[in-house]
Amino acid sequence: MRIQGDLRIDEVKKILKRELAAWRRLSHTNIVSLLGTTTGFGPLEGMVSPWMKNGSLHVYLGTKKDAPQSKRRLWVEDIAKGLKYLHGDLTSLNVLIDDDEKAVLTDFGLSVILGGYTNLSVTYTDAKTGSLVWAAPELLLDPTCTKGPDPSPPSDVYSFACLMYMIFTGFHLWNLTGTNDWIQWSIVSRIKNGERPTNPGTIDTQYWNLIEQCWAQSPSSRPEIRDVLLRLGNMTSVQT
């Protein structure tokens, strides 16, 4: 974890130690477990988790372009199950594929744990384009703002919809070309204006309807993840 500016490091260490102890006790098949911590990588302890040789969902989809729809539907359910257990800031890079080809979530809860420390947490205002792709409208601020809202269950549901789109199509929402600054401005502008991609014709109608509801512009219009999971279960049973 990077530290910028002046920060009461002793206070942060105390809070981080307490929160990581709680995280270590978490147990869920779709959450990467925290094995412990290590030192020597900066002023704060580093976190140690099991190694996932298949890497992130983002990388794995690039090597498994012919993955069957049945496998993709299971990944969607895996992510939803992990989200129901623990929320955080969701992107394709903190979804890993384990040795059994199951989707598991990692780096989860850090933005919530460290949300009170602007110099420590990574916010969407200074994030790279890769993070902006998944950001809900309410998390996108004007450049003059220094600290925005922390990710919430509704914002994770929005990000989940974006992941569903990528899992079923193999593409990000915004395949833009140009300079990095222009791409970031364009993505923020489109998300804030309520623009979303159309169904390319490869996503089943039931799943597409769910995607549209999950990436609704207003957080209060998005379904809760427990309801999303119920609907996914019903869809899977019909498909099989």
Side-chain angles (χ1 to χ4, degrees):
M1 286 175 281
R2 295 177 302 169
I3 296 179
Q4 300 175 348
D6 296 328
L7 202 62
R8 294 181 59 184
I9 192 66
D10 291 340
E11 181 182 349
V12 176
K13 283 182 176 180
K14 185 186 301 182
I15 293 174
L16 186 60
K17 184 176 182 178
R18 183 182 68 236
E19 297 293 348
L20 290 180
W23 190 3
R24 191 174 182 179
R25 293 194 294 269
L26 298 177
S27 177
H28 190 278
T29 185
N30 297 112
I31 299 288
V32 175
S33 58
L34 178 69
L35 301 179
T37 59
T38 186
T39 58
F41 294 91
L44 299 175
E45 291 179 298
M47 289 154 285
V48 182
S49 294
W51 176 252
M52 301 287 170
K53 65 182 180 183
N54 291 321
S56 69
L57 174 66
H58 177 84
V59 171
Y60 200 67
L61 277 173
T63 62
K64 298 287 184 179
K65 297 182 184 299
D66 58 347
Q69 289 298 307
S70 57
K71 175 67 70 176
R72 296 171 191 261
R73 290 194 294 267
L74 288 176
W75 287 335
V76 167
E77 278 198 70
D78 286 339
I79 296 169
K81 290 174 182 175
L83 269 180
K84 184 171 181 278
Y85 186 75
L86 185 68
H87 91 89
D89 48 344
L90 184 64
T91 76
S92 65
L93 295 178
N94 57 20
V95 178
L96 304 181
I97 303 299
D98 70 9
D99 293 353
D100 297 321
E101 293 192 315
K102 182 170 75 266
V104 293
L105 308 182
T106 189
D107 289 344
F108 244 46
L110 277 182
S111 59
V112 178
I113 291 171
L114 304 175
Y117 297 92
T118 307
N119 292 344
L120 197 59
S121 59
V122 178
T123 64
Y124 285 108
T125 52
D126 63 354
K128 295 180 180 179
T129 302
S131 296
L132 287 172
V133 172
W134 318 102
E138 64 271 19
L139 298 182
L140 298 172
L141 301 175
D142 295 327
T144 55
C145 297
T146 58
K147 182 72 171 72
D150 292 318
S152 65
S155 71
D156 277 337
V157 168
Y158 175 96
S159 302
F160 173 73
C162 300
L163 271 176
M164 286 182 68
Y165 182 89
M166 189 190 78
I167 289 171
F168 287 129
T169 66
F171 301 104
H172 284 303
L173 271 72
W174 314 111
N175 289 314
L176 303 174
T177 58
T179 64
N180 191 54
D181 287 344
W182 183 90
I183 292 173
Q184 289 194 49
W185 175 87
S186 181
I187 290 174
V188 170
S189 176
R190 293 182 183 204
I191 294 173
K192 283 188 170 183
N193 289 335
E195 294 182 38
R196 306 287 186 271
T198 57
N199 189 344
T202 57
I203 303 177
D204 182 272
T205 302
Q206 290 186 88
Y207 286 95
W208 182 252
N209 290 339
L210 180 59
I211 288 174
E212 290 191 307
Q213 291 173 30
C214 288
W215 67 26
Q217 191 75 358
S218 170
S220 62
S221 298
R222 300 169 201 154
E224 294 185 15
I225 194 63
R226 62 184 179 184
D227 297 322
V228 170
L229 199 49
L230 283 173
R231 290 177 61 180
L232 288 172
N234 292 334
M235 292 179 201
T236 301
S237 63
V238 170
Q239 294 284 346
T240 54

